[in-house]
Amino acid sequence: MTADNQFGNYLRNLRESREPLITQEKLGELVSRNKMTINLIENGKNNPPKGELLEAFIKALNLTDKEIIKFRDLAAIARGAVPSDILDYFNGNEALRNAIRRAKDKGLTNTDWEKLIK
């Protein structure tokens, strides 16, 4: 479970921002779970979903591309994992893994990475 509950808060904000409003009960129906499960996720008592269930949330909430990236990232961070949409690419690219290790050893910051990818 996450201490700061960023994923749960983000899920709640997304759900409540939809027009018409999507209740916990309605979201549960859309992803084949009950209202209590949605409540526990939003309150940080259950881990964020992964795999097919994560994708069901994305579809049910009709997320934008930007929202999908943040949704997947927060879910993965809370689980201590790599976001699912980049895992296969990461695992299949030895040069990338080595570059990240070198960057880690050199202490590269977010600012350093931003400069590198521009």
Side-chain angles (χ1 to χ4, degrees):
M1 312 315 157
T2 62
D4 60 12
N5 195 31
Q6 287 185 27
F7 179 84
N9 290 332
Y10 189 59
L11 173 59
R12 178 182 296 111
N13 290 336
L14 289 170
R15 180 181 59 72
E16 291 177 346
S17 72
R18 296 312 189 240
E19 292 290 335
L21 173 73
I22 298 176
T23 63
Q24 287 181 340
E25 184 174 11
K26 180 63 176 173
L27 182 57
E29 290 171 11
L30 292 169
V31 299
S32 301
R33 296 298 186 274
N34 61 42
K35 175 185 174 181
M36 181 57 69
T37 298
I38 306 304
N39 183 277
L40 291 171
I41 293 170
E42 287 185 356
N43 288 299
K45 305 293 184 193
N46 276 9
N47 285 324
K50 59 183 177 180
E52 289 180 15
L53 182 55
L54 185 72
E55 297 307 310
F57 274 89
I58 289 169
K59 182 178 178 183
L61 293 166
N62 194 29
L63 301 184
T64 65
D65 289 344
K66 186 176 179 180
E67 290 170 334
I68 290 169
I69 290 169
K70 184 172 181 178
F71 196 73
R72 286 179 174 152
D73 284 354
L74 289 175
I77 290 166
R79 290 190 317 270
V82 175
S84 60
D85 61 321
I86 61 173
L87 185 58
D88 288 340
Y89 182 74
F90 179 82
N91 286 338
N93 193 322
E94 183 179 359
L96 174 61
R97 292 191 308 274
N98 289 334
I100 291 172
R101 283 187 184 102
R102 284 193 299 276
K104 178 183 139 293
D105 291 345
K106 291 182 179 188
L108 264 65
T109 65
N110 276 342
T111 303
D112 297 328
W113 278 104
E114 289 170 2
K115 289 177 187 175
L116 283 172
I117 60 174
K118 286 187 180 183

